[in-house]
Each structure stands twice: as C-alpha cells, then as structure tokens.
Amino acid sequence: VICRSLANSSYGIKRKSPLQNLHLVSRSIHHPYYPSSKFQRPPLRISVQLFSSLNRLPLRKTKLLNVKYGYQFHRNFWLARLASRLLKLRYLILGSAVGGGYTVKKTYDQWKDMMPDLDEYKWIVPDFIWELDEHIDFEKLIKALPDVDDLAKLLPDFDKIGESFTSLKGFFSPGSPGETAFRATDQGYDNDKQYKKGLLGELILLQQQIQQHEEEARRAAGQYNMGSSQQKRKVSDKEKIDQLQEELLRTQLKYQRMLERLEKENKELRKLVLQRDDKGIHQRKLKKSLIDMYSEVLDILSDYDASYNTQDHLPRVVVVGDQSAGKTSVLEMIAQARIFPRGSGEMMTRSPVKVTLSEGPHHVALFKDSSREFDLTKEEDLAALRNEIEIRMRNSVKEGCTVSTETISLSVKGPGLQRMVLVDLPGVISTVTSGMAPDTKETIFSISKAYMQNPNAIILCIQDGSVDAERSIVTDLVSQMDPQGKRTIFVLTKVDLAEKNVASPNRIQQIIEGKLFPMKALGYFAVVTGKGNSSESIESIKEYEEEFFQNSKLLKTCMLKAHQVTTKNLSLAVSDCFWKMVRESVEQQADAFKATRFNLETEWKNNYPRLRELDRNELFEKAKNEILDEVISLTQVTPKHWEEILQKTLWERVSTHVIENIYLPAAQTMNSGTFNTTVDIKLKQWTDKQLPNKAVEVAWETLQEEFSRFMTEQKGKEHDDIFDKLKQAVKEESIKRHKWNERAEDSLRVIQHNALEDRSISDKQQWDAAIHFMEETLQSRLKDTESVIEDMVGPDWKKRWLYWIGRTKEQNIRNETKNELEKLIKCNEEHAAYLANDEVTTVRKNLEARGITVDPCLIKDTWHQIYRRYFLKTALNHCNLCRRGFYYYQRHFVDSELECNDIVLFWRIQRMLAITANTLRQQLTNTEVRRLEKNVKEVLEDFAEDNEKKVKLLTGKRVQLAEDLSK
C-alpha cells in the first residue's frame, strides 16, 4: 500500500533525470560535449518510511526529511558522482598493481631458474669467509660506525684535489725535473723487485745461485777437458772446478735446509688446520679424501670377479726387492712410522700389505676391517700394531705354505704424508731354506708378477747397496715386466754401508745413472734407512740420513745429485708419478666399466625385461620378507581349521591302538560290567604312557605341514622359483631347531584323563554323533579287512571270468581254509576270538581229507582275518540297533536286553579327541607359532651373515647377471 502511494504521489522521486535537467558539471561528466544550460527544479518534500523484512519486528517511522533544492543540492550531487568515478579508478589501479606484481614475480622466477646452481662451488670460497659471522658481531659493528653526516664531514675536498692534480700534471710534463726523478725511482724499484723479502725470496735467490754455479762448473769442466799445453793452467783450472763444486754443494745444502724448514712450517700449519676441522669447528659435512676413496675402489676391485681382470687396471705403487734389501724400511720412512714387524735375516713379510697413505691431523693407523685406531706417536700402540700385522700374516698363510696371496689392507694418516697407495710384497728369494714350503720361491715370483704385470702399476725396485750388484734377483724380474722402464723407480738402499765397503765409488755412480744394471727406470734414488738398529726412531733415522749426505763424498764429488738422495725426495717423486698415472688411467678404466655395464644391461633387458636388477643380497632380503610374511600367515589360520586337522590326524594315528588293544579285547567280555572295567583300565594305561606324547607329535607334524604348505605354495604369476631352494633350507633348519614345550605333555595328560573318564551323553544329538563316528570307524576297518582277505584267497569268480585272472596255489589253499573256518563260525556264532587246538586239528584233518596239506600257523592267520570280518559286521549291526537306544541309556539300560556300552566308549574317544584338538590348537596359536617365527628369524639372520650359504641357495643365470651388474 505504501509503495502504491509513493508511486501515485505527485511528489515522487524520479529514478533518472533527463540529461537536459542535470547540473552543468553533471552534464559534463555524462557527456563532455553537451552544451551548458541553467538547471531549475521545483522544491520537493518527501515522506519516507522504513520497512523491515522481519515480519515480527515493529516498523519504525521516521520524521519527514526537509530537502532544500538549490545550488547546494547540485554540488552535493556532483561530489557523489565524482566519488563514484574515483572509486572505480581506485579499483583499476589496484587491479593493475596486483597484475603487475604477479608478472614481476613470474619474471623473477624465470630468471632464477635460468641462473646456474652455485652450491657445488662453495669450496672455492675460503673457509674463513664462512666463519666471519661466528667471530664478528655485525650488529655491534653497525652501531659503532659513524652517521652519514659524520662521514660526509670526513670526505675530502674534491676541489682542492683537482687543483693538486693539475699541479702534478705540470710537474711531470715532458722535460720537467719531476719526470727525471720519477724514472730513476722506477728503475730502482724494478731492480729491487726481483729480490723479495722473506724466506721465499731467499729460496728463489738460492735457486738462481745454484743454476749459475752449475753453469760455471759445466763451462770450467768443458775448458778443462779441451786440454791445454800449459800444465800450470791445467792445475789452476782443476782447482777452480773444485772450488765451484764445493760452492755448489754448499749452496744446494743450504737450499735443501731452507726448503725443509719451509716444509716443516707448512706441515705444522696444515696440522693446525686439520685439527680445527677434526674438532668440528666447520659444521659442514666432511667428505672422504680422494686417496681414501681410491683405496676403497682398489679393495672392491681386488674382490671383483677375476674373469674381467679389472683389479689390474688401476695404478698403485708396488714395492719389490730381494729379501732383507730394505723394502720395509723404505716404506716405514715414507709412512714416517715403524709399523712393520722386523727380523734379522728371516722372512717377515709373508703376505702383500696394502698401505694407503693420506694426510690427517693425527698420526694414526687402522685396518680396513677394524675400527680401532693405533696412535703412531705412542710406542705401545706401535708394538700392538706390529703384533697385529704379524698375527694377520700368519693367519692368512694356509697350512703347508710359507706365504699367502691374501692382501692385508692398512690405512695410515698423518700430517705431511704424501697421498698414495703402496703394496709391500714378500721379498724375492734365491734359495728355499729349511722350514719353508717347497713352492715358496715360485709363489713369491707369481705374486710379484701378478702385481707388476698391471700396465699402470709403479714398480718401486729396492736394491741393497751393501751387497754386490751381481747377486740381485729382483732387477732381472723387474726388467722382464717393464723392459722400457716407463713405470719403474730404482732405489738404492744402505748407501752408507756401500760407501764404506765399495772400493770404487764410481760403481755407485754407475748404479744411480742406470749404467750397471740392464734394467731401465724413470728415476734413480739413493737412501739411507738407519744404522740397522730396530729400536731407532724415524726422527733419528732422518737426522742420520741428512748428516750422512751432508758429509758424503758422493755429493761433494757430484757423483750424486741433491734431488736423488733422501727418502723425502723419493716420497715426493713417487707421489707425483702415482697421481700422474691415476689421472691418465682412471678415465680410461671408467669408460671400460661403462662399456661392460652397457653390455650387461642389454643382456638383462633381453632376458628379463619385466624384472628389476636385484643382486644376491637384495634377492635374499626380498625372500626374507616373503618367508616372514608366510610365517605370519600361520597366525591367520582359523581355529576351526586347526582343530579339524588335529582331530583327524590324531585319530588316524591312534585308531589302530583303540580298535585292536582297547575295543576288540573289551568286546570279548561276557557282560557290560567287565566291558567297562576293561575299557577303563586300558584307557588309563594308554593315557599315562602313550596318548599325550602321540598328541604332541601330531601337533608338531601338523605345524610342520602347514608351514611347509605356506612356504611351497605357488602364488600364481607372482611366484618366483628362484627362492625355492632358500625357502626349503630355511624350513628344514627352522624345524630342526624347533622343540615343543616340554611341559605341554603334563598338562595335556590331565586334560585327556578327565575327558576319558566322563561317560555322560547329554542329548540325542551327541548319541547320534557317537554312533556315526563308530560306524565310520568300523566300516573303514571292515573294508581294510576284506581287502586283506581278498589278497589272501585271490580273486572271486566274477573277477576270474571278467579279467581272466587265476589263483595261485597258496591262494587256493587259503581259500579252502577260509571256507572251512566260515563253516565253523556258522555253527557257533558266539565263538571266541581265538581257535582252540582241537579246532585247528579238526580243520587241518578236514582239508587233508580233500588232499590239501595246511600248516597250523596258516589256519590261525586265516582265522584272525575271518573272525575280524565277522566281528566287525556284527558290531555294525549292533550299532544300527543302538540308534534307538538313547532312551534306554538314560535309564541305564534297566529292563532292557539292549546294551550299548561300545557306543559310550566311542563317545568318550570322540570327546577326548575334540578336547585334545582344542588344547593343542591353543598351544599352537599362543606359543608354538611364535617360537617357530623366532626360529625362522634366527635362521634368516644366520644365513644373511653366511655368504657361502647365500651363494649356494641363490643361484642361476639371473642372479649371476644381477651380481655382475651390481659390481
């Protein structure tokens, strides 16, 4: 009603005013080209009423609004329109900002993806950069810095600096005195620049002096050799040469001492750095050193399949020499520790020893297969290490042998050690002495050749300088393996003894120059490894070696060069040669492995396209999980299934005893009282002696059968026959280890005794179940008895006519005997179970009357089966009569000629079987299945540690191919 009144009112508000009636500014907003005109509007008074959509709330009335028309109204309308336009403009700006921000972020992400990942190059940045934030408090530093205004005051006056540069430019203009002074200063600086201050500058200066002295000595020697007519000039030239040589030697020794001093300082600094790393100052993840990884590769390749011959393709330093030539001493000098067992004249190195040298903060040694670290700075640890090496060597030697081919892997770390891998081999001998195996010499030769035939192996040939060179055996062996000498380094040991004992020092010079032996080498070195005292320390040996070469005539007369002496120079040269060969060979070896792997992968894809590449260990883990799953499946077997199997199997095991020893003897009695007494006595004896043990055996065999069924059951397409041998072995070993709980028989005996004593049958259903159980048992026995009788008497007339089968002579005799015995039973249906002697005689005479001779034992044997059949048939008929005897049973058979005590017997047996099956099932599910699972886990753990067992049980082309791929 209110809406109609407002719509019909003459003072209503128009929704949209014509463009002509808008204000000038409003028209310009609507249309900028619309011509201006005056705007007039009659005054309007509006009555407004508010409405609510909530019908229960009272409507609120408002007062009339007085609206004044005029210029003020028009301005307010213009402001509203302008505000709405500006609001729309804000939305545009906001949308543009959001879109622009999204575009910028997307562009930034694209640029970021295009940038390379520099995380792998963090090692380029020095380590102290990463520690700055730990040692420097940047917040305090920022607070301590001056403000911007203070810094501005400290800035120089650039105007004054410009004036100064202008004056300097004029001072150094061409021809000015400043230019002359500057050039003189520049020349002096260039001359002094070559003489750097400090120890490194002195080393460079000494090196230049050595080169100058060597050139002067060569020139003087050349002039002296050219000859001169004047004898005095010759003498003066010779004196000059001697002076130059002495000066050269002094300079070389000084250079060597300064170099050793630098190396010592560097060693101490590196030790400090490594100790800081070892203490965990750097929290970054420490990686294995290159030499450690390389040594692990050599260990893996040494265990690799020999058919690929890959273990001989990567470099290592092979130390060979005659026995007692000083091989071990040279190795100890390089390792800077007395780590090997020592002996005077006897063979100490009985197997190859691989020593991996690497740098570390502490001087320690450890074996590949042990976590114990031997501190090489302590004498007790050194003695323990030598003893351990000796024990390992002796254990590796097989019975009847002197040396072993097994390699002992040892890692030595310490500050200043050169990184390389050395292999110390048994010393080459010329004669087999007493106590050695006859093939010792040939075995040592084969071991040495096996290591030296590697084309990338560095041969460190050790020659004893104190003995005649003609007695050397190893030089001929080395020259055979490396005739060109491209990978051989010759080392002459015991030079101090050689200098004293050798009459001609030129002989030592010929050895070092490679002129005495037919072999060739990359380099020749002369070393001194001590005075022959096993208690000497490495430091004392170094001092003695340095002192010897300082005073040696071999150096003073230039027979030896400074870089050819001391074990320090030898170690540096061997390390450089080793890593050079590693760089040259490792990439080639990697390519060879890639090619081998490609061939193996191709073969795998062609033969097993849908299978993953699982090696023997991975296959064992997979089989282990399957076996454990199958063991767990035993817990999923239903109680009903367990009890049915147990009850059936137990009855099959004891039914013969129940029929033959309990039921048949009791059935021969004359009345029910005697029957029940006989049954009770025999059941008690059976329960006390045999029944519990038989029940436990049945339960254990049932568990085995179920376990075997789960283990050997094929699971369709998912079945993998590669695990069959392993599963069979696990099953047999687990069953062998499993033993049933001994206390189970005692508890079971009580339960069975109580069950057999209960004679109460509560309802007709149990009575019928007992009758059914008895009928099944008797029918089964009757069928077996008739089968035995048929085998005794032969086929009947139907089979003889249908299959043309005849009876044998013995079967005819048995048949005639059977007929006579059946007549005897017909005459006396209540005959006893056994024949009397007069009855046996009667049957025998009746048969003899018909011309058949019969043995009495045959008559008794036949009678047993005939009477058994007759008894079983009678018992079945009696069982049928007892179907309606439950009523008489409830009345205890009073006033009834029917007696069904045999039905009660079978009910007691049936109930005992059910209770026994239930008890055994509880023992199985609660105890024995878990114990079996535990045994299976133990067997699997033992097999996992036995590699030979895994190789034996997991075989086949697929396994071998996967093993090759894994390696």
Side-chain angles (χ1 to χ4, degrees), residues 754-874:
N754 294 334
L756 290 172
E757 282 186 347
D758 186 9
R759 301 181 184 179
S760 61
I761 302 177
S762 58
D763 54 16
K764 183 70 165 57
Q765 185 178 1
Q766 293 179 353
W767 181 268
D768 293 338
I771 293 175
H772 179 69
F773 175 59
M774 181 178 175
E775 283 182 342
E776 284 186 347
T777 304
L778 296 179
Q779 286 176 357
S780 174
R781 294 291 165 176
L782 178 60
K783 184 177 180 181
D784 295 338
T785 304
E786 288 180 346
S787 177
V788 172
I789 293 174
E790 184 178 357
D791 293 337
M792 291 172 59
V793 301
D796 55 3
W797 65 272
K798 291 182 180 179
K799 290 183 179 181
R800 292 201 303 272
W801 280 99
L802 292 175
Y803 302 107
W804 290 82
I805 301 174
R807 290 173 176 169
T808 62
K809 182 178 180 181
E810 183 180 357
Q811 288 176 343
N812 287 323
I813 295 173
R814 292 265 189 182
N815 185 49
E816 294 297 330
T817 306
K818 177 183 76 77
N819 295 332
E820 286 293 327
L821 293 174
E822 287 177 347
K823 293 177 183 178
L824 187 62
I825 291 176
K826 288 180 180 179
C827 295
N828 185 11
E829 293 183 353
E830 296 182 356
H831 197 283
Y834 301 99
L835 283 175
N837 291 331
D838 55 348
E839 292 177 333
V840 174
T841 304
T842 302
V843 173
R844 181 170 61 83
K845 289 183 177 180
N846 291 336
L847 292 173
E848 287 178 353
R850 288 185 289 177
I852 302 173
T853 304
V854 183
D855 186 63
C857 294
L858 186 143
I859 297 173
K860 293 180 180 181
D861 186 27
T862 308
W863 166 257
H864 176 72
Q865 298 299 329
I866 298 300
Y867 182 81
R868 183 185 181 87
R869 182 176 64 178
Y870 168 74
F871 173 80
L872 291 173
K873 288 181 177 180
T874 305

Side-chain angles (χ1 to χ4, degrees), residues 651-668:
W651 176 240
E652 290 175 355
R653 189 67 57 86
V654 302
S655 60
T656 302
H657 180 84
V658 171
I659 300 297
E660 303 294 336
N661 299 335
I662 298 176
Y663 175 60
L664 288 179
Q668 306 303 318

Side-chain angles (χ1 to χ4, degrees), residues 706-721:
E706 289 297 305
F707 180 51
S708 302
R709 181 173 65 85
F710 280 110
M711 292 283 285
T712 58
E713 187 178 30
Q714 295 188 1
K715 300 178 180 179
K717 296 181 179 180
E718 297 180 0
H719 177 73
D720 198 345
D721 56 358

Side-chain angles (χ1 to χ4, degrees), residues 23 26 39 41 70-79:
H23 189 266
S26 300
F39 180 78
R41 188 162 185 161
Y71 182 75
Q72 184 69 25
F73 172 78
H74 300 305
R75 186 170 64 178
N76 290 340
F77 184 78
W78 171 75
L79 286 174

Side-chain angles (χ1 to χ4, degrees), residues 311-342:
Q311 63 271 23
D312 296 328
H313 288 172
L314 289 176
R316 71 207 74 179
V317 182
V318 181
V319 186
V320 295
D322 298 331
Q323 184 179 346
S324 302
K327 298 185 293 71
T328 303
S329 300
V330 171
L331 259 178
E332 289 180 337
M333 291 296 292
I334 295 175
Q336 300 181 16
R338 308 298 294 269
I339 58 178
F340 291 103
R342 312 185 67 79

Side-chain angles (χ1 to χ4, degrees), residues 294 314-320 420-423 425 451-461 478 482 486-490 522 570 573-582:
Y294 183 79
L314 289 176
R316 71 207 74 179
V317 182
V318 181
V319 186
V320 295
M420 54 183 148
V421 179
L422 303 101
V423 182
L425 300 179
Y451 276 92
M452 288 191 294
Q453 69 183 359
N454 177 7
N456 294 321
I458 301 170
I459 304 173
L460 199 62
C461 180
V478 172
D482 184 24
K486 293 182 179 180
R487 51 190 180 89
T488 301
I489 296 177
F490 182 85
L522 285 172
L570 170 65
V574 173
S575 178
D576 291 341
C577 185
F578 170 75
W579 285 110
K580 181 181 178 182
M581 284 198 170
V582 168

Side-chain angles (χ1 to χ4, degrees), residues 7-26:
N8 297 329
S9 175
S10 59
Y11 295 98
I13 300 174
K14 296 182 179 179
R15 291 188 178 182
K16 186 175 181 182
S17 60
L19 193 59
Q20 294 84 352
N21 298 331
L22 291 177
H23 189 266
L24 177 61
V25 179
S26 300

